[in-house]
Amino acid sequence: MQNGNNVANTNTINEFYKWESDDFVPPLDRLEHNDLDIGSDVCGNWVECNSKFAQDFINNATLPGCPCIFPLIRVKTKHIFDVTLDTDVTWLDSSGHDDLVYKPGAKACMRSTLASGTTTLAVQQCCYDDTYMLVTRGRAAGTPMLISPEISEELHYKIDLLPWVICKGDWTRYNQVLPPNNDFRCAENPNEETLQFQKSLLSNY
């Protein structure tokens, strides 16, 4: 991505720094949950400030939908035709530890790439279970990335991943801002019993 494009999108990126006005600016280092012992509800402030903006941002990005079955079992890159966008989308396998740690329980994840000449900063992320079926909800579900790692790993961490750390892994709140994609109406996964069990574990965070 050219530097000019990054400069042009400065205002867009700055919108996601609103939670910094709460007198808590976490460092860009990889933080642990127990390092965030603060008095105010920074996660709640982040959700309240960014939910509408993030949804508008994602809608304007016209991201591809998540395939119901993980297509990258044997290859690292693949072009998949998206019937909604009426174009081929290139997906990258992102099943490494650095990605899966934010989607506990996922077996594999993939993300879309930025198309040539695109003006959006966002990409889609899809995560799959042990049977390579799309996880549509819960802690292992993939969520859109507002800043593609292709643009900046640092900004991607600060915008997309650091809020997950600030929320101490509470995916119910994080997903209010960045909901998992299920445009192709894949079967709900996990089932209701497992979903409720995952929610019950949040009391231990």
Side-chain angles (χ1 to χ4, degrees):
M1 183 63 61
Q2 299 296 319
N3 289 337
N5 288 342
N6 288 341
V7 172
N9 288 295
T10 298
N11 291 336
T12 299
I13 294 171
N14 286 341
E15 287 291 331
F16 293 97
Y17 296 151
K18 292 178 179 178
W19 47 264
E20 292 185 350
S21 64
D22 298 306
D23 298 323
F24 173 64
V25 184
L28 290 176
D29 297 329
R30 308 283 168 162
L31 303 178
E32 299 295 334
H33 293 175
N34 55 12
D35 292 330
L36 297 171
D37 185 15
I38 56 176
S40 61
D41 183 7
V42 179
C43 177
N45 293 336
W46 174 77
V47 171
E48 182 178 356
C49 289
N50 290 292
S51 292
K52 185 181 185 305
F53 183 86
Q55 283 304 298
D56 290 342
F57 190 80
I58 292 169
N59 290 337
N60 289 333
T62 59
L63 299 180
C66 289
C68 295
I69 301 176
F70 185 65
L72 308 180
I73 297 175
R74 292 185 176 86
V75 294
K76 293 299 182 182
T77 63
K78 191 169 185 179
H79 302 286
I80 301 173
F81 185 76
D82 189 294
V83 295
T84 302
L85 300 181
D86 193 31
T87 188
D88 284 330
V89 176
T90 301
W91 295 87
L92 296 178
D93 193 330
S94 58
S95 302
H97 171 75
D98 288 345
D99 291 288
L100 296 184
V101 69
Y102 297 99
K103 306 298 176 185
K107 172 72 173 182
C109 292
M110 66 181 191
R111 62 175 170 84
S112 60
T113 62
L114 294 171
S116 177
T118 186
T119 58
T120 184
L121 306 176
V123 291
Q124 187 65 269
Q125 181 194 50
C126 313
C127 292
Y128 298 81
D129 64 14
D130 290 342
T131 63
Y132 294 103
M133 301 301 293
L134 180 69
V135 180
T136 63
R137 57 187 183 176
R139 64 185 184 183
T143 49
M145 297 177 177
L146 297 170
I147 304 295
S148 169
E150 294 177 69
I151 296 174
S152 168
E153 289 280 357
E154 183 178 16
L155 285 175
H156 165 61
Y157 176 70
K158 186 168 187 179
I159 300 302
D160 295 304
L161 304 182
L162 190 55
W164 188 91
V165 179
I166 291 171
C167 290
K168 301 183 179 180
D170 186 342
W171 51 269
T172 62
R173 304 176 84 184
Y174 183 84
N175 288 5
Q176 289 180 46
V177 178
L178 299 171
N181 175 268
N182 191 13
D183 283 351
F184 296 130
R185 299 182 181 179
C186 310
E188 290 289 12
N189 183 23
N191 60 35
E192 189 64 27
E193 180 180 358
T194 300
L195 183 68
Q196 293 305 318
F197 175 72
Q198 291 180 5
K199 289 181 178 180
S200 73
L201 297 178
L202 294 174
S203 60
N204 296 324
Y205 280 29

